[in-house]
Amino acid sequence: MHKNIEKKTPKTLYKFRDWSNEYNRRILVENEFYFSNNYSFNDPYDLQLPIRVSHKIPFFKDSIIEAMTQKIGRVPTDKEIRLAEKLHPQLLKKNPAIFELFIKEIEEGTKEIEDRLGVFCMSKRNDSSLMWGHYANSHKGFCIGFDTLKLKKFINEKFHNGRGDLHEVEYKSEVPIFDSYVDQSKIKDYSKSRFITKFQHWSYEDEYRIIIDKMANQAIKIPKNIYKEIIFGYKMSELHRKEIRIIADTLFKDLEFYESKKSSAKFEMVIVPIKN
């Protein structure tokens, strides 16, 4: 379901921040990533997609056998089980409440999982004027570039057994559907697909997300060698540039510095190296 990160992800991923916001400074001053919950995003659909379930409920054989055993006082024969499976579609059609109950179970299952997930968003782009405008205080802020493979390795090792990973966001025109032919144990996969799906009009963000179970509203320290570069917004004040340089030079080694400038030919920014 998810794309091969090692082959598809760019070498650097970026986070846009506002230096005038004390909370935003922590990503540099404290080398800290804060993982948001699923109620804190500006898009009302982001991480809050409606639950869509296909209108076909699978014939869960073990559950049916258990129910029949309780009803008739013995284990049903193979012939009785085959008959129950044959009559299953008709039973569902005559009893719509069964489908409503199934949807409720899916909704409760996804909510239980999704309320635990922490999300940290980045982009493979550093030259989007919209991104600079929306997430970096109207170009007055800054942008940090991270080494993607080092970051992914750190997350996978710290949150092993699949608890945390890096995912590329998929931009679609429709909300994902939970295929009820799939076993209900697949609710976790369905939740992840919901967390990496956004409406196609947001595709300009070229977003990647770190998603970690049981990390909602929590922060973690990121190794400093994962930090690669800092880009100053083209409207950033000289005072803020100097403050960042002093802090970065003190806390990090071998960081590269750039500044964002308006392109003379396209509706995007040009990222220019700063010579020391």
Side-chain angles (χ1 to χ4, degrees):
M1 179 177 65
H2 305 308
K3 298 181 180 180
N4 187 311
I5 294 297
E6 284 77 6
K7 293 182 179 179
K8 300 294 183 180
T9 304
K11 293 181 179 180
T12 309
L13 288 174
Y14 298 92
K15 184 71 171 180
F16 295 86
R17 298 276 76 183
D18 175 11
W19 186 251
S20 63
N21 182 317
E22 185 175 347
Y23 166 76
N24 280 192
R25 294 186 180 200
R26 295 184 66 85
I27 195 171
L28 184 65
V29 178
E30 302 291 340
N31 51 293
E32 179 181 279
F33 280 15
Y34 182 81
F35 288 80
S36 303
N37 63 28
N38 55 330
Y39 298 100
S40 56
F41 289 74
N42 54 1
D43 176 4
Y45 286 96
D46 198 359
L47 308 188
Q48 288 294 314
L49 296 176
I51 299 290
R52 295 184 65 198
V53 180
S54 63
H55 284 68
K56 296 179 180 179
I57 302 177
F59 181 81
F60 293 112
K61 186 175 179 179
D62 292 342
S63 299
I64 297 298
I65 291 175
E66 181 180 349
M68 291 177 68
T69 300
Q70 292 178 358
K71 185 173 183 179
I72 64 179
R74 60 174 173 79
V75 177
T77 64
D78 290 342
K79 184 177 180 179
E80 289 171 330
I81 295 172
R82 288 196 298 270
L83 179 60
E85 186 171 6
K86 182 179 179 180
L87 297 176
H88 183 63
Q90 299 176 34
L91 177 65
L92 295 177
K93 188 175 182 179
K94 292 179 180 179
N95 297 272
I98 296 177
F99 182 69
E100 294 174 2
L101 179 61
F102 184 77
I103 291 180
K104 184 178 180 181
E105 291 177 355
I106 300 301
E107 289 175 340
E108 292 175 350
T110 55
K111 184 177 188 334
E112 180 182 355
I113 293 171
E114 293 174 7
D115 285 354
R116 302 194 311 253
L117 298 179
V119 182
F120 184 82
C121 305
M122 295 169 289
S123 173
K124 71 178 183 180
R125 296 192 62 182
N126 61 13
D127 59 355
S128 168
S129 180
L130 285 173
M131 297 285 281
W132 278 101
H134 291 165
Y135 302 111
N137 190 19
S138 300
H139 295 263
K140 300 183 188 72
F142 66 111
C143 180
I144 299 181
F146 304 98
D147 186 301
T148 308
L149 293 183
K150 288 182 180 179
L151 178 58
K152 176 177 169 58
K153 181 180 179 183
F154 167 72
I155 294 297
N156 290 158
E157 290 178 350
K158 185 174 180 64
F159 303 97
H160 48 81
N161 297 326
R163 184 183 163 197
D165 206 350
L166 177 66
H167 303 270
E168 182 177 3
V169 169
E170 299 175 358
Y171 299 95
K172 300 181 179 179
S173 60
E174 295 185 355
V175 174
I177 297 177
F178 182 86
D179 183 356
S180 54
Y181 277 109
V182 178
D183 188 271
Q184 293 184 60
S185 63
K186 298 296 183 181
I187 291 178
K188 185 175 181 180
D189 290 337
Y190 178 58
S191 290
K192 282 190 176 180
S193 72
R194 285 161 46 78
F195 264 47
I196 64 167
T197 298
K198 293 185 71 171
F199 184 44
Q200 60 188 11
H201 286 183
W202 293 87
S203 60
Y204 70 88
E205 292 188 341
D206 285 318
E207 186 176 344
Y208 286 76
R209 290 176 168 174
I210 299 174
I211 301 176
I212 304 177
D213 191 18
K214 300 178 183 178
M215 274 298 295
N217 302 317
Q218 297 185 60
I220 61 172
K221 293 280 189 178
I222 301 298
K224 293 180 180 180
N225 68 331
I226 293 175
Y227 286 63
K228 288 179 62 177
E229 61 190 62
I230 294 178
I231 307 170
F232 300 129
Y234 92 100
K235 288 184 178 180
M236 193 174 209
S237 70
E238 285 300 321
L239 174 61
H240 285 176
R241 289 187 181 213
K242 290 179 180 178
E243 288 176 346
I244 289 177
R245 284 300 297 255
I246 292 173
I247 292 172
D249 288 341
T250 302
L251 299 179
F252 298 88
K253 293 182 179 180
D254 303 321
L255 274 183
E256 297 179 351
F257 291 89
Y258 299 83
E259 60 183 338
S260 172
K261 294 187 176 183
K262 290 196 296 184
S263 169
S264 60
K266 300 179 180 180
F267 290 104
E268 61 185 35
M269 309 309 294
V270 177
I271 309 304
V272 181
I274 296 177
K275 297 179 180 180
N276 294 328

